[in-house]
Amino acid sequence: MNSSLSEYLGWLRSIEKKWQKVWREQRVFEANPDPGKPKFFITVPYPYTNAPLHIGHGRTYTIGDIIARYKRLKGFNVLYPMAFHITGTPIIAISEMIARGDPKTLSRYESYIRMYVSDEERVKEILESFKDPYKLAEFFAENVHVDFEALGYSIDWRRRFHTGEPLYNRFVTWQYLKLAEKGLLSRGSHYVTYCLLHKQPEGEDDIEDADVNPVEIIEYTGVKFRLPGGEGVLIAATLRPETIYGATNLWVNPEARYVRFKMEGETLITSHKAFIKLQHQHPETRLELLEEFPGSMLLGKRAKSPLGVEVPILPAWFVDPDLGTGVVYSEPSDAPYDYIALMDLKRDKGLLAKYDLDPSIVDSINPIKIIEVPGVSGHYAQAIVESMGVRDQFDPKLEDATSIVYKEEFYKGYMIVEDPLVKGKPVREAREIIKRKLLESGDAISFLELNRKARCRAGGEIIVAKIVDQWFLDYTSPQLKKTLTDYIDKKLIVKPEKYKKAFIDSINWLEKRPCARKRGIGTRLPFDQEWIIESLSDSTIYMAFYTIVHKLREKGVSPDSLKPSLFDYVFLGVGERDKVAAETGLNPGFLEELRREFEYWYPVDLRHTSTPHISNHLSFYLIHHAVIFPEKYWPRAISLNEPVIREGAKMSKSKGNVINLRDIAEKYSADLFRLYIAWAANLDTVLDWRDRDVSSTAELMQKFTRIILDVIEGRCVSTGEDVVSRWFKSKFYKSVKAGEEALENLQVREYVQNVFFNIMNLVDRYRDIRGSTPCDIRSVVADWLRVLNPVIPHLTEELWSIMGGKTLLSTDHWPVDVEKYFDETAEVLVDEVEGVVEDVKSIVEAVKKNPREIYVVVASEWKRKVVELAEKGFELRDVIRELSKEIGPGKEKLIAEVYRAWRAGGVRREVTGIPVDLEVKALRDLSEYLGRKTGARIEVLLEEEAESRKIPKAEKSLPGKPGIYIVFEGQG
RNA sequence: GCGGGGGUGCCCGAGCUAGGUCAAAGGGGUCGGGCUUAGGACCCGAUGGCGUAGGCCUGCGUGGGUUCAAAUCCCACCCCCCGCACCA
């Protein structure tokens, strides 16, 4: 194994394919109920198949697989199933864009297909087929399956399905009947982002750039300004209704289109755009369009504010007819736009004359101060406009000016108007008070608008619309919340534990959630066929479906047989077998078999996924289980991991830095990926994929492989059984044990750290002590391969077979009885030797001379007695009295020194059990190593011998910590 | 704004829910040595400062506090990241 790294990786990839084939052909991971064996049912949410998966997904599935493989080695009957998610709108949206010939989508999907298909003809054909969303979904499902297999996941593929299948639809239908039965479904209206082109609600996924620049719905207050003589009511939309006290005039854009329309008996005036928006916000009300006219027609008229103040309508070009209502009231004291627009009119009288208005009309208009902000004197808008040097109402600096004033006043401003309603109140409170009052008195209407202009990916305008009779999942029941939060708090295992609170918060935060739409792939609501169940809501208890789906297929059961009564019987044990059999046309024995499958596998022992799922999918998963199933079938444990970034940056299509799972199998290696991903970060940490670290991991794997092969093929030196070999095995099995404990706690990184990195370091130390590779490493190789099998299953399987394993390692067992190798004595003694090396180095560094001879002096037997007595709790003087009886007087000072060293923690407790001659022997056995490390001749002496030879420092020796005397070069 | 998580040595990253055995695991990088025709790989060593004998000092965002003892506990402050719904 002296090949280059790339040759090594090529070899790895080849054995990976080989073992994947063996596992597949021998159906190693197909799991069937075995009443004699404990079961372990682990699931990871199925992926959404609209594109290839990347290494972030791979992290989650790999961790799931490591745990599945570990549990299998621990003797569990493990079921790890997988399916594919295709319901919802994104797949349809992509199909539509491909059908429409959107160049970006076409080229992206073409490149995706090329990842799996080399024949250019076929690529074109497949791309063409993507106009059918099911074809697209099935293509990626098929290839994600291929990718998963290439990573060595131990999945029972017989249970694979996708969520667009009729069989699955029947299951979801049953689920919704149950949810309705339990009172979880309700209807009501609510506001959504809505596309005028598609005439459909469209969310973040469908809106251009919404992933980077989110679209929010915000509420404006449409304040009514009444024209005299019933001529109409202008709706002036504002985010700051508290400024109504300072309103001096109205602004309309003279060049925009305005309309007059009837709504609930009132004649209203807004921009034409706003009229359309209002229509969508009031779908149950008829809005009658009366007249359309340019804004200039409104100029010069006077309208009365809700406060009874009459103000003129003036022209302003900054007014956007597509924002709010196209009518705004002017409050020049606090709004920079209003202030500058007023100044523009005062400065350029021609602007008004153009519309036949008397320019003097603006002379009497002046800002009215209504808000005080500490540190700001005069009118805030004026101050900021002047300090920023704003030229006119077209100056882009106005945006910044507005947001500064807005923020400052919100946090620090308070009202200085006379109205007792708000007098002295902070702006943020006054705003709410005024808004409520205006709405209640009918002096304002609510107007919903987006925080920014938005278009759908096909270019359609997005507005806010109200959806009536929307279906909701209603999670508001306090009793339900309590049941769940108690369960999560007391019974559900969450790893890492710090996420537990997030679950409880999430359950408490959930209210009503829309669960159906009129568009997308999915299952129709059983009681309202117009609606399609939304895709997160149809994927909450499907783990139950895994337990029987392969049986349904085996028997060729038709979807029509999957009546609700069948699921009632299989999943809930409700109903009579024979009646259900008659109703479904299925054999009663088969029904029992399905029931047994479910009863054996359920509940889910562990669901592993990534943290963004906590507040949605995982919460629904818990709630729906709690609502539908008895408690014994509720989820047992949930584990989570954070996402993956690359070289410090988020992976994204736009940056082009995504590493797809496909690349792993072809350019890296499955085992390398698994090892790196498991080791590179704790579950609760974002994993930063760094190529530099990946290749050093590969180098370590190669080194590991070389060591194993050297040992099993005899390129090693034989050594006898001695203190070092006992030390090696003890350390080795302690790491195994630590790795096991870590995995039991789902600390995957800690496990890899122990069984791979720490053992590699241990082997290095062992080889260093021996001076070459010792053959007795062989005695632990089998166990080493066993414990590494969950992370690097292919390589360990290969090495296992090379060393003569007749059965598959993946179905072998985890090491047992490892404690019998623990050997404290050997560890203490070898640590002592290494301690001597360390001490010598420290001395040499301080003295800055080269050592020639080193005397290593082992402490006298009586010093051990000091420690023994001290350990028993003897005071110093009692120790002295006790010992003097044995060794005679004259040693009091030395006894005191040993005692003090012990109290300072300088003596390991374990040494008291180790005879002095063992200590001497260990040091003598290892004196070759000591000499090699220190570059000096070593002589090991007992303290008494050293004393008689007058070796200095002899008296400094302590049990387990020899005295050291160094003769340096050039010294006598 | 509300809620959650975090700031550790040149870099990444453990440890911090049970305070001492932590100058602080592991990996990367850098430097020195070995091996080699050379490079790579591999092996050994160094990588806060000081020290003529195995030791001492300074240190884990900032500033306080509790304690015989704090990276670990408490308080305040600064900074960073994530979620906030109808979307998978």
Side-chain angles (χ1 to χ4, degrees):
Chain A
M1 199 43 55
N2 283 317
S3 51
S4 74
L5 190 63
S6 70
E7 282 167 343
Y8 174 70
L9 289 177
W11 173 78
L12 265 185
R13 286 194 288 267
S14 73
I15 63 158
E16 283 165 2
K17 286 210 184 66
K18 175 174 102 185
W19 290 107
Q20 283 154 13
K21 186 154 177 276
V22 170
W23 295 330
R24 185 172 57 239
E25 284 172 356
Q26 299 193 15
R27 304 168 154 232
V28 178
F29 306 121
E30 293 183 5
N32 294 305
D34 177 350
K37 231 175 155 189
K39 63 93 184 179
F40 189 81
F41 184 19
I42 175 171
T43 64
V44 177
Y46 42 37
Y48 191 74
T49 51
N50 65 335
L53 301 188
H54 57 69
I55 54 175
H57 303 106
R59 182 180 189 192
T60 307
Y61 293 103
T62 297
I63 288 164
D65 190 57
I66 289 172
I67 292 161
R69 285 178 173 273
Y70 167 69
K71 287 287 180 181
R72 210 171 275 120
L73 292 179
K74 287 291 283 184
F76 287 89
N77 188 15
V78 173
L79 173 56
Y80 185 25
M82 190 52 61
F84 298 101
H85 197 196
I86 76 165
T87 42
T89 52
I91 287 176
I92 284 199
I94 294 159
S95 277
E96 283 174 0
M97 278 195 276
I98 287 173
R100 210 187 300 126
D102 178 67
K104 256 168 78 184
T105 310
L106 282 172
S107 81
R108 170 170 298 159
Y109 275 78
E110 199 173 76
S111 73
Y112 287 164
I113 298 166
R114 281 206 194 94
M115 288 164 55
Y116 300 99
V117 178
S118 49
D119 177 3
E120 280 301 310
E121 278 296 296
R122 280 290 297 149
V123 172
K124 291 272 180 276
E125 267 175 55
I126 293 168
L127 186 63
E128 179 67 23
S129 78
F130 282 2
K131 290 176 180 171
D132 176 353
Y134 283 87
K135 287 278 190 314
L136 188 155
E138 279 160 14
F139 177 83
F140 287 110
E142 187 52 44
N143 287 300
V144 169
H145 178 154
V146 169
D147 288 344
F148 279 3
E149 207 153 69
L151 286 164
Y153 295 161
S154 58
I155 290 168
D156 180 352
W157 283 110
R158 294 173 305 165
R159 297 163 195 265
R160 168 182 160 180
F161 61 87
H162 71 66
T163 57
E165 288 180 39
L167 285 176
Y168 185 74
N169 296 152
R170 299 307 161 106
F171 170 71
V172 173
T173 300
W174 174 76
Q175 181 193 344
Y176 266 71
L177 290 171
K178 290 291 126 188
L179 294 173
E181 217 174 85
K182 307 282 181 175
L184 231 65
L185 289 177
S186 69
R187 297 188 87 170
S189 54
H190 90 302
Y191 294 96
V192 295
T193 46
Y194 182 92
C195 174
L196 287 176
L197 177 71
H198 294 108
K199 304 196 183 309
Q200 287 289 345
E202 288 189 356
E204 188 180 289
D205 285 354
D206 302 314
I207 299 172
E208 191 73 44
D209 295 331
D211 46 337
V212 284
N213 186 4
V215 174
E216 288 169 48
I217 295 175
I218 46 182
E219 186 184 16
Y220 282 71
T221 306
V223 183
K224 291 179 180 173
F225 281 77
R226 297 180 169 86
L227 290 168
E231 220 186 311
V233 179
L234 287 117
I235 305 295
T238 180
L239 287 171
R240 301 195 52 185
E242 79 282 7
T243 59
I244 188 69
Y245 292 98
T248 57
N249 60 283
L250 286 167
W251 297 123
V252 297
N253 189 326
E255 281 145 37
R257 306 294 299 168
Y258 285 78
V259 294
R260 195 187 310 271
F261 59 96
K262 264 217 162 6
M263 179 171 159
E264 287 170 345
E266 241 177 336
T267 303
L268 306 182
I269 298 168
T270 66
S271 69
H272 180 257
K273 283 268 185 187
F275 168 69
I276 302 216
K277 292 174 187 172
L278 279 168
Q279 274 185 315
H280 286 89
Q281 287 175 28
H282 298 273
E284 56 292 67
T285 312
R286 202 176 101 79
L287 274 61
E288 191 189 344
L289 184 63
L290 300 173
E291 179 190 6
E292 200 174 319
F293 52 86
S296 54
M297 301 253 305
L298 292 164
L299 300 179
K301 296 175 193 287
R302 299 181 76 84
K304 200 182 270 183
S305 85
L307 300 175
V309 179
E310 208 167 74
V311 296
I313 302 173
L314 298 174
W317 291 265
F318 74 85
V319 174
D320 181 354
D322 192 20
L323 181 68
T325 55
V327 179
V328 296
Y329 67 76
S330 172
E331 202 276 278
S333 178
D334 299 293
Y337 270 108
D338 293 342
Y339 177 79
I340 199 85
L342 180 62
M343 290 304 127
D344 287 351
L345 292 185
K346 290 194 183 208
R347 207 181 313 127
D348 186 352
K349 305 279 171 166
L351 288 171
L352 289 170
K354 205 170 120 193
Y355 297 102
D356 295 327
L357 296 173
D358 177 1
S360 67
I361 192 172
V362 295
D363 291 347
S364 59
I365 298 179
N366 287 305
I368 305 164
K369 188 160 167 103
I370 59 165
I371 291 167
E372 185 70 50
V373 178
V376 178
S377 57
H379 299 288
Y380 204 156
Q382 178 180 7
I384 195 142
V385 158
E386 285 170 3
S387 76
M388 287 176 81
V390 176
R391 292 184 316 272
D392 55 30
Q393 60 185 293
F394 306 104
D395 195 326
K397 287 201 282 281
L398 279 167
E399 285 299 321
D400 278 346
T402 301
S403 82
I404 290 168
V405 175
Y406 188 102
K407 252 195 206 138
E408 282 284 296
E409 296 197 335
F410 181 78
Y411 291 113
K412 297 181 195 158
Y414 57 94
M415 307 297 293
I416 52 169
V417 296
E418 283 311 311
D419 189 339
L421 197 62
V422 294
K423 186 179 178 184
K425 290 240 163 50
V427 163
R428 66 169 101 181
E429 282 176 34
R431 182 171 303 165
E432 290 308 309
I433 293 168
I434 290 294
K435 178 172 154 190
R436 205 175 332 115
K437 189 195 155 195
L438 291 174
L439 289 172
E440 279 168 8
S441 64
D443 285 321
I445 60 170
S446 164
F447 185 89
L448 298 174
E449 186 57 281
L450 300 175
N451 61 324
R452 67 169 176 95
K453 299 259 167 83
R455 291 188 171 270
C456 85
R457 294 189 194 278
E461 272 182 77
I462 303 289
I463 61 162
V464 181
K466 183 185 196 178
I467 302 297
V468 291
D469 290 334
Q470 167 72 51
W471 285 92
F472 290 94
L473 277 167
D474 186 345
Y475 297 130
T476 52
S477 156
Q479 212 200 320
L480 182 61
K481 283 181 193 285
K482 174 142 185 12
T483 305
L484 276 154
T485 48
D486 280 355
Y487 182 77
I488 293 166
D489 188 32
K490 303 202 175 70
K491 305 206 174 138
L492 181 72
I493 295 167
V494 176
K495 298 280 175 179
E497 231 163 300
K498 74 177 187 189
Y499 295 116
K500 193 166 218 172
K501 190 168 171 356
F503 277 93
I504 293 171
D505 289 348
S506 168
I507 298 289
N508 284 326
W509 162 82
L510 280 167
E511 288 175 11
K512 290 184 179 178
R513 185 192 159 85
C515 64
R517 348 171 66 186
K518 297 201 173 171
R519 188 164 169 260
I521 300 175
T523 306
R524 295 193 176 274
L525 263 184
F527 19 77
D528 191 346
Q529 295 286 319
E530 244 186 275
W531 294 85
I532 294 159
I533 293 166
E534 181 271 331
S535 64
L536 282 189
S537 310
D538 76 2
S539 304
T540 60
I541 58 164
Y542 67 90
M543 312 80 209
F545 196 61
Y546 281 131
T547 65
I548 60 165
V549 59
H550 61 305
K551 291 281 168 191
L552 300 179
R553 284 210 209 289
E554 222 172 66
K555 267 276 188 306
V557 173
S558 111
D560 291 334
S561 299
L562 300 185
K563 309 258 192 263
S565 63
L566 176 134
F567 293 114
D568 279 345
Y569 176 77
V570 173
F571 293 144
L572 303 175
V574 168
E576 274 172 55
R577 183 195 65 182
D578 294 338
K579 250 172 96 180
V580 176
E583 199 190 324
T584 58
L586 297 172
N587 183 313
F590 180 64
L591 291 178
E592 275 179 19
E593 198 182 330
L594 295 182
R595 174 81 182 139
R596 276 198 303 274
E597 287 272 349
F598 173 75
E599 285 185 309
Y600 179 78
W601 291 114
Y602 239 59
V604 176
D605 294 285
L606 178 66
R607 186 156 181 81
H608 179 79
T609 183
S610 56
T611 51
H613 287 138
I614 295 174
S615 64
N616 42 64
H617 167 70
L618 289 170
S619 290
F620 310 151
Y621 165 65
L622 291 169
I623 296 171
H624 291 198
H625 272 86
V627 168
I628 294 175
F629 294 104
E631 188 175 325
K632 67 170 174 173
Y633 291 137
W634 294 3
R636 285 291 149 82
I638 293 174
S639 55
L640 302 138
N641 65 261
E642 292 281 347
V644 174
I645 59 173
R646 182 180 181 191
E647 311 288 349
K650 217 172 199 167
M651 285 190 289
S652 72
K653 284 173 202 149
S654 53
K655 280 191 216 128
N657 63 347
V658 178
I659 302 180
N660 290 300
L661 283 187
R662 189 62 184 169
D663 302 332
I664 296 303
E666 301 204 321
K667 296 186 199 142
Y668 297 80
S669 120
D671 278 352
L672 170 59
F673 175 75
R674 298 172 63 110
L675 184 66
Y676 178 74
I677 215 84
W679 160 81
N682 275 339
L683 295 189
D684 61 358
T685 310
V686 174
L687 188 156
D688 188 5
W689 174 279
R690 301 200 295 179
D691 275 324
R692 179 59 262 194
D693 288 357
V694 174
S695 52
S696 78
T697 305
E699 282 162 10
L700 260 178
M701 278 179 77
Q702 186 178 17
K703 176 177 159 186
F704 163 77
T705 307
R706 199 184 54 240
I707 290 170
I708 300 288
L709 288 177
D710 280 353
V711 167
I712 62 188
E713 289 168 0
R715 287 182 296 276
C716 52
V717 296
S718 295
T719 52
E721 169 85 10
D722 63 3
V723 67
V724 196
S725 56
R726 288 194 303 277
W727 161 85
F728 173 70
K729 286 192 192 77
S730 181
K731 289 274 193 193
F732 175 86
Y733 282 104
K734 277 191 177 171
S735 286
V736 167
K737 178 92 180 159
E740 175 175 347
E741 278 165 7
L743 262 187
E744 285 296 329
N745 251 328
L746 305 184
Q747 294 169 307
V748 178
R749 179 180 196 266
E750 180 83 4
Y751 147 75
V752 174
Q753 188 83 46
N754 273 293
V755 302
F756 187 70
F757 288 87
N758 287 357
I759 293 179
M760 284 297 282
N761 283 341
L762 174 68
V763 167
D764 275 346
R765 276 174 73 193
Y766 190 32
R767 293 203 298 170
D768 190 25
I769 292 174
R770 292 290 194 209
S772 57
T773 303
C775 288
D776 74 335
I777 291 177
R778 187 176 178 132
S779 64
V780 301
V781 163
D783 280 335
W784 200 7
L785 295 178
R786 286 185 178 106
V787 298
L788 283 170
N789 179 256
V791 233
I792 46 172
H794 309 89
L795 177 57
T796 51
E797 194 78 77
E798 175 72 12
L799 294 171
W800 176 260
S801 91
I802 290 174
M803 70 182 272
K806 295 280 177 269
T807 52
L808 289 175
L809 182 62
S810 298
T811 57
D812 206 79
H813 62 85
W814 190 264
V816 290
D817 275 343
V818 298
E819 289 85 354
K820 70 178 180 227
Y821 297 100
F822 294 179
D823 189 330
E824 294 306 327
T825 303
E827 286 195 34
V828 170
L829 291 174
V830 174
D831 283 351
E832 176 174 345
V833 174
E834 302 218 309
V836 170
V837 175
E838 289 305 309
D839 285 351
V840 169
K841 273 184 198 155
S842 170
I843 295 164
V844 166
E845 201 185 306
V847 177
K848 295 187 177 66
K849 284 180 186 164
N850 291 329
R852 192 178 66 209
E853 277 176 83
I854 299 171
Y855 295 92
V856 179
V857 182
V858 175
S860 293
E861 184 66 41
W862 66 261
K863 286 189 174 170
R864 211 170 234 93
K865 293 228 171 71
V866 175
V867 176
E868 275 166 27
L869 291 172
E871 285 284 340
K872 281 185 194 154
F874 278 61
E875 292 292 328
L876 174 56
R877 59 192 147 92
D878 301 325
V879 175
I880 292 173
R881 189 168 50 229
E882 199 62 28
L883 266 183
S884 299
K885 285 186 222 157
E886 270 181 61
I887 60 172
K891 298 268 196 232
E892 291 79 2
K893 207 175 148 213
L894 284 177
I895 292 173
E897 267 172 37
V898 175
Y899 185 87
R900 263 183 238 113
W902 165 81
R903 205 169 46 191
V907 183
R908 284 175 69 169
R909 175 176 307 152
E910 296 89 337
V911 293
T912 56
I914 303 172
V916 170
D917 48 330
L918 269 189
E919 206 180 325
V920 173
K921 184 173 188 312
L923 286 161
R924 284 191 178 142
D925 285 353
L926 285 166
S927 56
E928 182 274 328
Y929 167 70
L930 278 173
R932 179 152 41 86
K933 284 278 148 186
T934 57
R937 199 179 68 80
I938 305 294
E939 189 162 355
V940 179
L941 300 168
L942 197 57
E943 188 171 345
E944 283 77 7
E945 298 174 64
E947 252 170 37
S948 61
R949 286 172 54 181
K950 304 244 180 328
I951 305 288
K953 309 287 178 191
E955 75 289 348
K956 282 199 78 170
S957 60
L958 292 170
K961 191 171 168 62
I964 296 167
Y965 176 68
I966 304 175
V967 180
F968 294 97
E969 277 171 9
Q971 203 174 323

